[in-house]
Amino acid sequence: MDIYMQYTLVYPEESPVSTGTSWTLRQTGVFNRFVSSMRTQNQASIPIDQEGPSSTQPSNPNLLILLHPKQNSILQTRLTHSRSTNPFIQPFFTTHLLILSTYLPSWRFYISHLNTKLESIADIALTLQFTKPSHSTEAYTQLRALKHLEDQVLPLTARFQTTLATIRKLLDANDLFHSRQWSDTTTCQEIRDELQAHETYMNGHLITVTLLQKRVSEILNLLNIALSLKNQGTSVQINEHMLALTKDTVDDSASVRVVTIVTLIYLPASFVSSFLGMNLFDFNAEGGGFGMSSKFWVFFVMAIPLTMVTIGIWFYISQKKRNKIRAEEDGLFIGGR
C-alpha cells in the first residue's frame, strides 16, 4: 500500500521595508509519497532540492517534493540542519511536522499586525467630527483603509479551514500508520499530540479572525452610515438654499408681473401720445381744425418692415437655440444606448 500526501500550505511572511515591515502571503507546495512495502518504522522522504545534501540511499522509493516560493527558504534551511544533525532518514511525519512548526506560528504575528492596523484606524475613524471639512476628507481616507483591511481579513477564514483540513488528514494518516503497525504507540501519541496542538492553535486563529472580520465590518458600516448622514445633511442644506433662491425668484417674478401689468395699462396711452405727437399731425390748423401731412404713409413704410425684421431676427435666434438643445438631447440619447 502506497500513501500519497499532497497539499499547499499558505502562510504570511514578514519582510523589512523602508517604512517599517511588510507582510506577504506565500505558499509552499508539498508532495510526499510513502511506500509501505518497506515496512520500516523510521522510513522517511528525501527532499528534492539542488542545494540540499545528496541522498545516501538512492534506492529509497519514498519521495518528497517541496515547491518553495523563493531560494534559501526558512523551511529548506531547517530541513538541511535537521538532516545534518541526524544522518539517518527521518520518520514520515517528521518532515510534515517540521513544515507546520516552521510556518504556522507566523499567523499569530500577522493577525496581531492586522489587529493593530484596525485599532489605529478605529482610533481616528471613531473620533471624527463630520462638521469639519477636513474631518470629512479624513473619513474617506479611513474608509479606504478599512476596505483594504477588510480585503486582507476576509480570505483568512478559508485559508485557516484549508490548513485545518490538512492537519486532520495528517491525523488520519497517523492513525493509519499505527493501525498497520508502521509506528509504535509512543511515536503515534507524540505525533498526535503535536498535530492536535497545531489544530488547537489554528482553531484559535480562526475564532480570532472571525471576530476581527466582525469588528472591521461593524466599524466600516458605522463609518458608511456617518458619511451617509453627513451627505444627507449637506443635501438638506443645499435644498434649503435652493428653496430660498426659488422664493427669491418667485418674488422677482411677482415684481416683474406687476411691472408688466402696469406697462400694459399705460402702453396704449403711451402709443397714442407718441403717435399723435409726431410732426405728421397739426392740431393748430387754420380755422381750428385738425390737419395731417400728406407724407403720413412714410411712418407705416418704415415701421412695418422694421417690425417684421425684428420679429424675424427673434424667431431665427429662438429656432437656432431650440435646434441646438434638440441636437444635444439626441446625442445624449444615442450615447446612453
Side-chain angles (χ1 to χ4, degrees), residues 42-56:
N42 291 329
Q43 202 62 255
S45 309
I46 301 176
I48 296 180
D49 195 301
Q50 295 180 355
E51 297 180 2
S54 60
S55 172
T56 58

Side-chain angles (χ1 to χ4, degrees), residues 118 121-122 125-126 143 146-147 149-150 153-154 209-226:
L118 177 60
I121 296 173
L126 299 180
L143 185 64
L146 269 175
K147 188 60 180 175
L149 181 60
E150 185 183 41
V153 173
L154 285 179
V209 166
T210 302
L211 295 176
L212 187 61
Q213 290 175 355
K214 185 177 180 181
R215 289 189 60 199
V216 171
S217 178
E218 289 176 350
I219 297 176
L220 191 60
N221 291 335
L222 181 62
L223 196 56
N224 279 324
I225 292 173

Side-chain angles (χ1 to χ4, degrees), residues 233-304:
T234 303
S235 299
V236 170
Q237 293 177 357
I238 294 175
N239 291 335
E240 291 177 351
H241 183 65
M242 293 300 298
L243 181 60
L245 291 177
T246 303
K247 290 181 178 179
D248 293 340
T249 303
V250 171
D251 294 339
D252 293 340
S253 299
S255 300
V256 171
R257 183 179 180 183
V258 172
V259 172
T260 303
I261 293 174
V262 172
T263 302
L264 290 175
I265 293 174
Y266 287 98
L267 182 60
S270 299
F271 172 75
V272 171
S273 62
S274 299
F275 183 75
L276 296 179
M278 293 186 300
N279 294 329
L280 298 175
F281 301 97
D282 185 9
F283 292 95
N284 297 318
E286 295 180 359
F290 174 77
M292 184 175 62
S293 174
S294 60
K295 304 296 183 180
F296 181 77
W297 57 270
V298 174
F299 170 76
F300 295 101
V301 170
M302 296 181 64
I304 293 175

Side-chain angles (χ1 to χ4, degrees), residues 33 67 83 124 146 148 181 199 219 235 240 294 334:
R33 181 185 65 194
L67 302 178
R83 291 176 58 193
I124 299 175
L146 269 175
H148 177 66
Q181 298 182 354
E199 184 181 21
I219 297 176
S235 299
E240 291 177 351
S294 60
I334 295 174

Side-chain angles (χ1 to χ4, degrees), residues 2 7 22 32 49 68 79-80 158 161 184 186 221 231 236 244 285 335:
D2 296 344
Y7 55 89
S22 175
N32 197 182
D49 195 301
H68 300 290
L79 282 173
T80 303
Q161 290 174 347
D184 55 38
T186 302
N221 291 335
N231 293 334
V236 170

Side-chain angles (χ1 to χ4, degrees), residues 119-234:
E119 294 294 339
S120 176
I121 296 173
D123 289 342
I124 299 175
L126 299 180
T127 57
L128 292 174
Q129 298 180 10
F130 292 92
T131 55
K132 299 180 180 180
S134 60
H135 284 208
S136 298
T137 304
E138 180 65 25
Y140 286 105
T141 301
Q142 298 304 321
L143 185 64
R144 288 193 297 269
L146 269 175
K147 188 60 180 175
H148 177 66
L149 181 60
E150 185 183 41
D151 293 339
Q152 291 179 302
V153 173
L154 285 179
L156 296 183
T157 300
R159 300 187 190 280
F160 288 167
Q161 290 174 347
T162 302
T163 303
L164 283 170
T166 301
I167 295 174
R168 294 185 183 112
K169 288 295 182 181
L170 288 171
L171 283 169
D172 294 340
N174 182 49
D175 293 337
L176 177 64
F177 271 54
H178 183 258
S179 65
R180 294 183 176 272
Q181 298 182 354
W182 296 342
S183 64
D184 55 38
T185 303
T186 302
T187 302
C188 177
Q189 186 61 42
E190 290 176 353
I191 294 173
R192 182 184 295 112
D193 291 342
E194 190 166 351
L195 288 173
Q196 287 177 346
H198 288 302
E199 184 181 21
T200 301
Y201 289 143
M202 293 307 298
N203 279 322
H205 293 335
L206 183 60
I207 295 174
T208 303
V209 166
T210 302
L211 295 176
L212 187 61
Q213 290 175 355
K214 185 177 180 181
R215 289 189 60 199
V216 171
S217 178
E218 289 176 350
I219 297 176
L220 191 60
N221 291 335
L222 181 62
L223 196 56
N224 279 324
I225 292 173
L227 287 173
S228 298
L229 292 176
K230 169 62 178 176
N231 293 334
Q232 290 177 5
T234 303

